[in-house]
Amino acid sequence: MDCQYLPLTATGQFSTLFLDYISQKETLQPYYDRFPTLEAFAEQAKNRAFDEAKRRTLVEVLERQYQHIPNKPDFSVLAQPNTFTVTTGHQLNIFTGPLYVLYKWITTVNLAKKLAETYPEYQFVPIYWLASEDHDFAEINHFTLFGKSYTWETEQQGAVGRMNPKELKAVFSQMPEKLFLFEEAYLKHDTLSDAVRWYVNELLGKEGLICLDADDADLKRLFAPVIKDELLHQPTSGIVTETSGQLEAMGYKTQVTPREINLFYLDHQLRERIVTETGADETVSYKVLNTELQFSQQELLTLLDEHPERFSPNVVLRPVYQEVILPNLAYIGGPSEVPYWLQLKGVFDHFQIPFPLLMPRNFALYVNPASARKMEKLGVLPEELFRDEVKLRRSYIERISEKSLDLSEQKTCLQQCFAEILNKSVRVDKSLEGAVLAEQARLMHTIDHLEKRLKKTEERNYETTINQLMTLKHKLFPNGGIQERTENYLNFQLNDPQFVQKLLTVFDPLAYQMMVLKD
């Protein structure tokens, strides 16, 4: 597979905050500790102490979660003090969801391998954090295969990881071919978390990738001190609001907005926000929104002690939870995740938890053999394809046309002529200045119009070629968007069983660029 790199700035697909971070803009330095270079991992490991008891708990939880999976990983390595994790996370999209989810997994796997080669004195384990507590079902209940969208319909509510995926049998009946891996996963497991763990292990278990479901009482117990502080003092809201204000003052758009309490109440088919209420006597009580549940402060603290699994962090505290329960060095995230992590550095400082290296995942445009041949035939450059259709048409026509369609030279010449005419006119009569300038503006407008007509005429002359170019553009950028955010990996895997293996071979986790992969 041939790989060509493009700067992310050349794609027009990423926010200014994200691009400024990967270019290591100095003004963003206060919002993270170290930039993720290979050398930075040595310093990160030296400063990442992790309690032995927490390691034991982590191993016990993983052993329990994988107990029904054959050929499960060896978790005992995580009990060793020289072992660290590198982590990515995502929602439990059905059938893996958009292509970039697979890219996150492979980036994480390859990072662990690269670190192991570079630092043999340590061991590195790639982790996929299952976003099992997320309750936004509409985000995960659909995927696209060969241009057709499939949707999981259900009445189930609450944390998606607890949902029974056997209802997906109706989706399988609509598909044009059998997907044995996913039928085994969804139809033979009772929860979505178990199903995802099973198929991820089948896909990348041999590469060392481990799935962690943090919806667990033992893991939440480790997180209980943070939960308690958030319930009693609500420190995170003010910290994140202040940081967000600083970033916005620099002209950046921020991703997350904190709540007063950044925790949900979690129970069977229920995940709702916890809020405070102040009574007439100034006593504080806690209410679970959209329910009848209400607690005094002492009742809620007792519940935390007895059932820590009832408390679920939101987007602001989930990263903190991750770093509390994992001996983690780096988080691998997408172009929306990296910016919102930059809003959280002060929260980590407050809880005295090390901030991980914040790494962008790999980005790629995959070009199959048929499309690669079309690109070669048309002579289109990869960077051109990232332009919108109007700019793509214009730049391509200008490049392949035998005639020059740019009238800039002629415009300059005309401006020079009018400058001389104006000079002579005002010497005769200064009142002629307005008439001369008006005539110049009229003629310049006429030339602009002629230039556009020339380009449109040339486009018609190349109509067949342009149609082929647009067909290629639509193929590689479905619905006008970037491929990895729309396509599912099955679109490629079903035609090429070596697709995942090829990505494992070519992905470089420290290459913060767009890869154009030609097969």
Side-chain angles (χ1 to χ4, degrees), residues 233-423:
H233 307 116
Q234 296 98 49
T236 57
S237 179
I239 294 170
V240 177
T241 299
E242 181 179 358
T243 301
S244 300
Q246 293 168 358
L247 290 169
E248 287 165 5
M250 286 189 272
Y252 298 119
K253 183 179 179 181
T254 53
Q255 296 286 327
V256 296
T257 302
R259 302 290 189 177
E260 177 193 13
I261 295 178
N262 292 282
L263 295 165
F264 290 94
Y265 182 87
L266 182 64
D267 207 346
H268 178 64
Q269 300 219 13
L270 175 67
R271 188 177 187 244
E272 291 284 354
R273 284 176 50 210
I274 300 172
V275 297
T276 59
E277 290 187 344
T278 304
D281 57 355
E282 299 298 316
T283 59
V284 176
S285 63
Y286 297 82
K287 178 177 174 56
V288 179
L289 287 182
N290 302 313
T291 74
E292 299 299 318
L293 293 170
Q294 195 153 352
F295 305 91
S296 68
Q297 188 177 95
Q298 188 53 53
E299 287 171 337
L300 201 62
L301 294 178
T302 300
L303 182 67
L304 174 60
D305 186 54
E306 296 175 353
H307 294 285
E309 71 277 8
R310 300 273 180 88
F311 298 84
S312 176
N314 72 354
V315 67
V316 171
L317 281 179
R318 188 216 65 81
V320 178
Y321 182 28
Q322 171 187 297
E323 298 302 308
V324 165
I325 65 176
L326 288 174
N328 198 48
L329 298 183
Y331 182 75
I332 294 88
S336 295
E337 290 174 286
V338 169
Y340 89 66
W341 273 74
L342 293 174
Q343 294 177 250
L344 307 181
K345 174 66 166 54
V347 178
F348 280 82
D349 292 344
H350 171 80
F351 290 112
Q352 299 182 325
I353 298 166
F355 193 76
L357 297 173
L358 190 53
M359 292 187 64
R361 63 168 173 83
N362 280 134
F363 303 94
L365 171 65
Y366 174 73
V367 184
N368 66 17
S371 294
R373 287 191 294 271
K374 287 180 182 176
M375 282 184 68
E376 186 175 350
K377 179 182 175 182
L378 292 167
V380 64
L381 305 174
E383 56 267 33
E384 287 182 294
L385 289 170
F386 282 91
R387 298 171 184 164
D388 65 50
E389 291 189 18
V390 173
K391 290 179 181 177
L392 174 58
R393 284 173 181 269
R394 184 181 302 139
S395 66
Y396 185 75
I397 286 292
E398 288 177 353
R399 186 162 58 79
I400 68 171
S401 175
E402 295 177 359
K403 309 173 187 67
S404 173
L405 305 181
D406 186 1
L407 299 183
S408 298
E409 234 179 271
Q410 289 73 22
K411 291 177 187 176
T412 302
C413 182
L414 184 63
Q415 287 171 338
Q416 289 171 348
C417 289
F418 265 94
E420 293 177 14
I421 293 171
L422 181 63
N423 187 41

Side-chain angles (χ1 to χ4, degrees), residues 5-25:
Y5 290 99
L6 291 178
L8 294 182
T9 51
T11 67
Q13 298 291 325
F14 302 95
S15 71
T16 304
L17 179 52
F18 178 74
L19 293 173
D20 284 352
Y21 172 71
I22 62 173
S23 66
Q24 301 182 59
K25 190 170 182 179

Side-chain angles (χ1 to χ4, degrees), residues 455-482:
K455 290 177 180 178
K456 285 183 179 178
T457 302
E458 192 71 347
E459 280 191 30
R460 286 196 293 271
N461 293 339
Y462 286 94
E463 186 174 357
T464 300
T465 304
I466 291 297
N467 286 341
Q468 292 174 349
L469 177 64
M470 290 300 107
T471 299
L472 177 64
K473 167 75 173 176
H474 298 157
K475 176 72 175 176
L476 297 177
F477 293 81
N479 303 318
I482 196 166

